[in-house]
Amino acid sequence: MARPYDAIIIGGGHNGLICAATLARAGRRVLVLERRHVLGGAAVSEEVFEGFTFSVCSYVVSLLRPWIIRDLDLARHGLRILPLDCSFSPLPDGRSLARWGDPERTRREIAAFSPADAEVYGEYGRTMMQMGRIVKPLIDAPAPRPTSLNPARLVEILGHARRLQALPRSLRTRFLQMMTMSAADFLDLWFESDVLKAPMSVSGIIGTYQGVRSPGTAYVLLHHYMGEIDGAFRAWGLAQGGTGAVSLAIAAAARAAGCEIRTEAPVERVLVRGGTARGVVLAGGEELYARTVVSGVDPRLTFLGLVGAEHLPAELCERMRHFKLRGSSGKVNLALDHLPEFTSRPGIGPHMHGDVAIAPSIEYLERAFDDAKYGEPSRRPYINVVIPSLSDPSVAPPGKHVMSCFVQYAPYHVNGGAETWPERRAAFGDTVLETLEEYMPGLTSAVLHRQVLTPWDLEQEFGLSEGNIFHGELSLDQLAFLRPAPGWAHYQTPVAGLWMCASGTHPGGGLMGAPGALAARAMLAEGSL
Amino acid sequence: MNAPTRERFDCVVIGSGINGLAAAATLARAERRVLVLEASEQLGGTAAGEEFHPGYRTVGVHHDAALLRPLVTRSLDLERHGLVLRRSPAPTVLAGGDGARLVLHADADRTREEIAAHSRRDAESYGAWRAQLGRFRPIVERLLDAPPSDPFEADFAELGTLAKTGLALRLLGGRDMTEFLRILPMSLADWLGGWFETDLLAAGIAAGGLEGTWMGPRSEGSVFTWFAHEQSRGPEAVGGPAAVARALLAAARASGVECRTEAEVRRVCVEDGGVRGVELAGGQHLACGAVAAACGPRRALLDLLPPTALEPRHADAAGSIRCRGGIAKLDVALSGPLELAGHGGPAVERVCTAEGLEALERAFDALKYRRASERPWLDVRVPSHADPTLAPDGHHVLSILVHNAPADLAGGWDDERRAELTGRALDTLTAHAPTLPERVVATRCTTPDQLAERHRLDGGHLYQAERALDQALFLRPNADCGRYATPVGGLFLCGSGSHPPGPASGAAGLLAARAMLAARQG
């Protein structure tokens, strides 16, 4: 029998790889097991159609923690971020709004809709950045433990409280409002123009089963500003070669530190003996042993799928059954023969190099959610379009383009049952094209190939339970010391030797990497590894 | 004796609703000279009982007299001033679709039996659920009965209070404490869906928590508003809020409070950043050192203050208080009791027609698009059983809160649309009470736009400010005025828009008065 590994990581997504790289750099013998033939999990690039490479799921880089980029030396391992300079919102009536990296240009654009909003836009950004500074220490450290009586933990919590207390009162009020309000209500405090508010509000709902009018969505608006305050690179960017390039750079860093990585190695279950995780069993029956097993898949799949209820407290199993996953989004990837223009802003200009939001009004977005609330895909969905081939010609043949469309809402629990999604897939793709056609006539006829991913596909193909891109909704009851479950929010699990390291743990989802790195640090600090 | 040209009071209270009277009585008991000014011809504000049809009276716009905080009853000796309390409240009949029925009793065991007929699993969960609520309740009541502290600006004494609340929370044990913190920001649908599989039960429990909000059961944070509402219930006052207002009035007068009707305040007079008096619509000026505004916060801060009295940032914050009214009131005179088909047992006093969580959510959706709900859900009371003086012998009155009907209905309200809403509401109820149509003597529908006009309610909102996480505790109605004092010296808020929310609670008035006394401004 081979010598056991120090750690086996289940899943080669970005968090699993970051965890692996961090452990390997600390001298541990680490094996990563990835079910698919490519690394990256949902942060993956694939040549889906010949000559066309897509960031199949996650499509922009905005939250990846700068200290992780530094610690793992990702730039040396090939990571290049291409900034997105513009957020463009076309309107059905032929008008449009573009927000640029250049504040003055943005101010002029907004002033066409509302001079008052143009004036306050800069102040809004500054306020959000100030609030980002309050939150930053929370996402770069393990979750606070409010029930702990350990003086060190209490001091930690008091530290967080003190940072809030040190703020001017008006800013603190804004912060409390942001933590509790809906994105739409919060933006109402600042702006009057729907044309501006709608595309701003969507960062509050991406990946959630909430509408822009649902309380609790405002604080996600902050994520948009998190990258910027770090100053390491622009908040919003594309990885050269697609999002998978991020994963590959991390994998390269891991391998350089001696980590072993196997693809097409699906883990069937975690080997638990005497209440302790001893290793994993692969689908083919092969058993691999390790002192520590780390799950890089979502919590429900980890506990109810790979470990099994018989090894777990009943309460945790019950919590996992009610863990809110509820995927709400899909993805449509288009290979284009040529790039049509937007009616509202003709020409293939710089406005198409950024992200394009189909979000013409708050009511449009809320109606899109209403459809989903009652089990139907949105008749007119919110779509976030990125055309990476404009900035990175390596992803498409010369003259051709790839277009990535993030689509919300597509509720996993669709009427008739999630398993009916394959029958609805084509209609879902059609809805997206019909919607886009209203802004970009001729798009449909320019499509050479299309890949449609419904939440069902995200689950079946990428192992995301219920198609949830964040491994669990980012709602207040599933954050910090409650993520994924009370008592198990610090990467450990009730099974000795089994840890979690992915988006279902603090600080949560997105291409952030903090859970993977914080989990690895926790394991090393605990000393069992 | 010569009449003074300018009368002088220690404090003028604007509005004679339950909170205004509670504030007035509390101040007067501390030897302050207090004047209550009521714009309409009748004292009581939204709690004034009215004869809406000859011989038939309402118990006020709002009808839930169990929301009166026992703190108020006790502190102002209301039972001595004529208030009669029922220790065992009437059961609530949940009336669902296709004649589905479930009765919630105050007694958990009886309720469990009822639920068992629908689901054995739910019957078992119900016991555990009630037990957990019982453990949380003291903490909720502690928060309801105290002025809200801003933990970030607390002085030494407040830190002590906060520490006590923190300790009470900690003493629940790690598991309960975590659970309490976990569920508060959740949605009712997620929380109750985790406990119960019977939709009618989940909806019946959820419904009350949505009153005064701009939310559906799927909205995050609705669990918080549910706790603040449902766990504030105490013994029920016979005769409804109108009887509470009468007792408060008696208590206030006994302590020397003077009340004037048809005395609409036009302006709160401010000099050097402090209140100097009020000016009435008729031009009369009354001098006072402090004003307690039981009217809505927007009205107090934006309509009654001189335009220059508030700095722009405070005026902006006042303008941002959300108060979108969404409830219409339907009063019905009946020639006999409300009889539900197939319902035996004692007379029906409370009915809730929330069929399920989705029905509640759809009723809320209507608000978002400024429509009146096509299938409104009803909170029905028959107050004339406990208080037979409300209707002629053998006759009854129904008091119905119709959810949801927006104040800003697209196209505006008119008589035709009110009649349509009345028709929909009565049809909903008739599905369960087939004898209803033949017993209807008269109806009166009051839509939120009318509430706004008749009762000068901001947005036609009974709670003056929506109940929501960001408009709760020391953020109610906003951060500037979360502790009753306003940016203008001597002007305090004491109405339903302050903490704790509720037109029938009285606690906001009482706590505001105490804050005024503590500030030595009363």
Side-chain angles (χ1 to χ4, degrees):
Chain A
M1 195 182 85
R3 187 163 65 91
Y5 292 92
D6 289 325
I8 288 177
I9 318 277
I10 305 169
H14 68 281
N15 276 310
L17 291 169
I18 287 169
C19 182
T22 310
L23 293 176
R25 288 164 75 98
R28 303 305 188 273
R29 193 165 164 257
V30 183
L31 170 67
V32 176
L33 297 171
E34 167 56 41
R35 188 174 56 90
R36 298 186 74 223
H37 62 286
V38 278
L39 285 173
V44 67
S45 303
E46 287 183 68
E47 192 177 327
V48 181
F49 306 107
E50 200 187 335
F52 295 91
T53 299
F54 291 97
S55 299
V56 177
C57 302
S58 175
Y59 58 100
V60 284
V61 183
S62 65
L63 296 169
L64 187 61
R65 307 306 299 136
W67 51 270
I68 293 174
I69 298 179
R70 271 195 311 273
D71 286 2
L72 299 180
D73 217 353
L74 295 185
R76 195 166 61 80
H77 292 288
L79 181 64
R80 296 282 175 280
I81 304 286
L82 310 167
L84 291 178
D85 185 55
C86 177
S87 290
F88 179 62
S89 333
L91 296 174
D93 64 7
R95 296 178 302 162
S96 65
L97 171 69
R99 290 176 289 143
W100 304 91
D102 172 11
E104 179 50 33
R105 203 170 166 194
T106 303
R107 205 185 58 78
R108 283 197 305 269
E109 290 256 4
I110 298 173
F113 294 94
S114 159
D117 286 359
E119 291 313 308
V120 85
Y121 187 76
E123 190 197 325
Y124 172 82
R126 283 190 293 279
T127 306
M128 293 305 271
M129 278 166 69
Q130 278 177 298
M131 295 202 278
R133 284 194 195 96
I134 310 171
V135 173
K136 204 162 84 93
L138 278 171
I139 67 168
D140 285 342
R145 301 172 190 255
T147 59
S148 171
L149 296 179
N150 179 333
R153 301 280 93 83
L154 286 172
V155 166
E156 237 171 64
I157 291 179
L158 284 177
H160 291 304
R162 189 151 302 159
R163 272 202 316 282
L164 265 178
Q165 189 157 26
L167 296 178
R169 181 147 173 250
S170 58
L171 193 60
R172 201 167 55 227
T173 303
R174 278 285 184 263
F175 182 76
L176 294 172
Q177 287 173 326
M178 188 193 66
M179 292 303 291
T180 48
M181 289 175 94
S182 75
D185 284 340
F186 185 71
L187 291 168
D188 277 346
L189 295 174
W190 299 84
F191 306 111
E192 59 184 17
S193 168
D194 226 24
V195 178
L196 176 63
K197 283 186 285 190
M200 289 178 82
S201 70
V202 290
S203 33
I205 53 159
I206 285 184
T208 73
Y209 191 52
Q210 301 284 334
V212 289
R213 289 206 180 282
S214 307
T217 50
Y219 80 100
V220 193
L221 296 174
L222 196 58
H223 275 197
H224 196 77
Y225 292 85
M226 293 305 293
E228 226 161 305
I229 60 173
D230 298 314
F233 61 95
R234 282 201 52 76
W236 204 230
L238 295 175
Q240 190 165 32
T243 306
V246 177
S247 304
L248 295 182
I250 303 167
R255 285 198 181 103
C259 175
E260 204 179 314
I261 300 176
R262 282 172 65 179
T263 53
E264 293 179 274
V267 172
E268 195 172 77
R269 62 189 170 87
V270 175
L271 264 178
V272 182
R273 286 192 200 123
T276 303
R278 309 285 180 186
V280 299
V281 185
L282 299 188
E286 187 185 350
E287 296 194 358
L288 294 161
Y289 302 97
R291 288 161 60 199
T292 300
V293 176
V294 186
S295 170
V297 303
D298 70 68
R300 186 187 287 167
L301 184 56
T302 302
F303 290 121
L304 302 183
L306 300 179
V307 175
E310 66 274 21
H311 299 297
L312 296 166
E315 197 181 347
L316 179 63
C317 294
E318 187 61 16
R319 181 63 60 232
M320 283 301 107
R321 281 182 205 109
H322 287 127
F323 190 60
K324 293 188 295 185
L325 286 146
R326 304 187 294 200
S328 61
S329 55
K331 188 82 193 292
V332 174
N333 295 314
L334 303 174
L336 300 180
D337 177 62
H338 59 275
L339 201 54
E341 307 174 350
F342 284 101
T343 320
S344 55
R345 202 169 285 212
I348 308 298
H351 61 284
M352 295 171 81
H353 285 249
D355 76 304
V356 180
I358 304 298
S361 71
I362 293 284
E363 183 171 323
Y364 175 98
L365 296 169
E366 187 65 16
R367 285 194 189 275
F369 174 55
D370 283 348
D371 289 338
K373 230 168 34 172
Y374 304 115
E376 289 297 319
S378 306
R379 280 164 286 190
R380 278 291 173 263
Y382 157 63
I383 305 175
N384 193 227
V385 179
V386 174
I387 309 164
S389 48
L390 282 172
S391 332
D392 179 3
S394 73
V395 295
K400 316 268 190 241
H401 286 279
V402 293
M403 191 167 175
S404 153
C405 309
F406 172 86
V407 189
Q408 193 162 327
Y409 298 84
Y412 175 84
H413 294 288
V414 77
N415 290 333
E419 64 282 1
T420 63
W421 261 114
E423 300 148 38
R424 290 168 169 264
R425 190 185 293 125
F428 177 63
D430 292 345
T431 301
V432 173
L433 281 174
E434 280 160 24
T435 306
L436 287 173
E437 188 80 32
E438 290 172 12
Y439 302 85
M440 199 184 225
L443 176 67
T444 313
S445 56
V447 173
L448 296 171
H449 311 280
R450 76 176 192 190
Q451 178 193 32
V452 180
L453 294 170
T454 68
W456 174 259
D457 302 318
L458 294 176
E459 180 181 69
Q460 301 298 311
E461 186 60 33
F462 296 91
L464 297 166
S465 294
E466 296 189 29
N468 188 297
I469 62 173
F470 292 147
H471 286 196
E473 275 181 40
L474 297 172
S475 52
L476 284 175
D477 56 307
Q478 297 193 158
L479 283 180
F481 64 98
L482 302 168
R483 190 170 186 86
W488 305 109
H490 293 86
Y491 315 105
Q492 273 172 309
T493 70
V495 178
L498 177 69
W499 294 68
M500 294 173 281
C501 74
S503 295
T505 59
H506 177 77
L511 186 44
M512 179 151 52
L518 293 174
R521 287 181 182 179
M523 283 175 235
L524 293 169
E526 204 243 5
S528 67
L529 197 105
Chain B
M1 193 176 93
N2 291 329
T5 50
R6 276 164 64 111
E7 295 173 281
R8 186 169 172 89
F9 295 87
D10 293 323
C11 179
V12 162
V13 178
I14 303 174
S16 69
I18 285 177
N19 281 304
L21 290 173
T26 306
L27 291 168
R29 286 179 155 223
E31 311 287 320
R32 301 301 191 277
R33 192 172 171 226
V34 183
L35 172 69
V36 175
L37 297 174
E38 168 59 47
S40 72
E41 65 283 0
Q42 202 182 355
L43 292 169
T46 59
E50 292 172 276
E51 191 171 54
F52 67 95
H53 186 75
Y56 301 84
R57 299 186 61 80
T58 71
V59 291
V61 181
H62 198 272
H63 54 210
D64 197 339
L67 294 172
L68 172 69
R69 287 299 302 149
L71 169 76
V72 177
T73 315
R74 218 169 39 237
S75 305
L76 298 174
D77 282 328
L78 294 187
E79 286 182 281
R80 200 163 57 79
H81 288 102
L83 193 71
V84 180
L85 293 175
R86 288 167 82 177
R87 302 290 164 190
S88 58
T92 303
V93 181
L94 307 183
D98 296 327
R101 217 58 76 61
L102 206 164
V103 185
L104 300 182
H105 299 272
D107 177 47
D109 290 330
R110 278 188 77 186
T111 306
R112 216 167 31 229
E113 283 167 32
E114 281 275 340
I115 297 171
H118 292 260
S119 156
R120 292 233 152 262
R121 211 198 81 176
D122 282 3
E124 272 172 37
S125 305
Y126 186 76
W129 179 77
R130 282 273 294 247
Q132 190 177 65
L133 290 186
R135 296 195 295 277
F136 294 159
R137 185 165 177 130
I139 296 172
V140 177
E141 291 203 78
R142 179 190 282 277
L143 291 171
L144 289 171
D145 285 347
S149 303
D150 178 346
F152 302 107
E153 291 189 355
D155 62 23
F156 196 68
E158 283 173 340
L159 279 177
T161 317
L162 279 168
K164 272 189 212 155
T165 308
L167 186 66
L169 197 60
R170 191 64 194 81
L171 287 176
L172 285 173
R175 177 175 300 207
D176 264 352
M177 171 186 174
T178 311
E179 184 61 7
F180 191 54
L181 295 177
R182 184 181 78 87
I183 63 176
L184 283 182
M186 282 177 75
S187 77
L188 282 166
D190 288 334
W191 178 52
L192 294 171
W195 281 101
F196 306 113
E197 60 188 10
T198 309
D199 202 22
L200 179 62
L201 175 64
I205 292 172
L210 296 170
E211 187 181 290
T213 71
W214 205 77
M215 297 197 281
R218 285 232 164 116
S219 302
E220 305 274 316
S222 49
V223 170
F224 177 90
T225 57
W226 184 93
F227 269 93
H229 192 261
E230 293 301 303
Q231 296 216 315
S232 74
R233 284 177 189 287
E236 194 174 318
V238 172
V244 175
R246 283 194 298 274
L248 276 166
L249 189 57
R253 284 189 166 136
S255 307
V257 171
E258 186 184 331
C259 299
R260 290 186 200 164
T261 55
E262 297 179 82
E264 182 176 358
V265 175
R266 183 164 70 190
R267 182 70 75 211
V268 172
C269 306
V270 176
E271 266 172 50
D272 305 327
V275 163
R276 294 291 173 267
V278 297
E279 186 185 309
L280 300 186
Q284 189 187 2
H285 186 276
L286 299 164
C288 61
V291 167
C295 61
R298 287 171 70 129
R299 178 169 166 76
L301 297 168
L302 299 175
D303 300 347
L304 298 183
L305 281 177
T308 54
L310 278 187
E311 283 178 44
R313 67 194 166 101
H314 294 308
D316 279 352
S320 297
I321 297 169
R322 282 172 287 122
C323 51
R324 296 162 285 187
I327 304 175
K329 176 67 194 295
L330 181 59
D331 295 299
V332 184
L334 288 186
S335 60
L338 177 68
E339 284 177 325
L340 299 183
H343 182 84
V348 176
E349 295 186 56
R350 282 181 72 169
V351 183
C352 173
T353 71
E355 292 180 9
L357 292 171
E358 183 173 323
L360 288 174
E361 186 70 24
R362 286 193 187 273
F364 164 60
D365 282 347
L367 274 192
K368 291 194 296 197
Y369 306 114
R370 300 173 58 206
R371 285 186 286 114
S373 168
E374 287 79 18
R375 295 173 59 87
W377 66 271
L378 314 176
D379 169 8
V380 184
R381 309 294 167 107
V382 194
S384 44
H385 285 291
D387 181 2
T389 65
L390 294 169
D393 266 359
H395 288 222
H396 285 277
V397 290
L398 296 186
S399 175
I400 305 177
L401 293 179
V402 185
H403 301 252
N404 291 87
D408 59 344
L409 183 75
W413 286 102
D414 55 31
D415 287 345
E416 196 181 322
R417 294 172 120 176
R418 273 178 209 113
E420 205 181 316
L421 186 68
T422 303
R424 276 187 224 154
L426 290 180
D427 287 349
T428 304
L429 199 52
T430 305
H432 293 276
T435 55
L436 178 70
E438 66 208 49
R439 292 186 181 173
V440 172
V441 176
T443 63
R444 186 185 69 170
C445 177
T446 314
T447 44
D449 58 312
Q450 294 172 311
L451 290 175
E453 192 170 319
R454 280 186 207 158
H455 297 280
R456 292 158 185 80
L457 282 174
D458 300 331
H461 200 287
L462 276 173
Y463 285 72
Q464 298 179 344
E466 286 162 29
R467 301 196 300 126
L469 265 178
D470 63 291
Q471 292 193 155
L473 298 167
F474 65 94
L475 297 176
R476 183 166 183 85
N478 67 14
D480 287 341
C481 313
R483 316 203 35 218
Y484 312 108
T486 67
V488 174
L491 175 63
F492 290 78
L493 301 180
C494 72
S496 170
S498 292
H499 171 85
S505 127
L510 180 108
L511 294 174
R514 287 185 180 172
M516 294 171 80
L517 293 168
R520 297 175 197 286
Q521 300 258 20

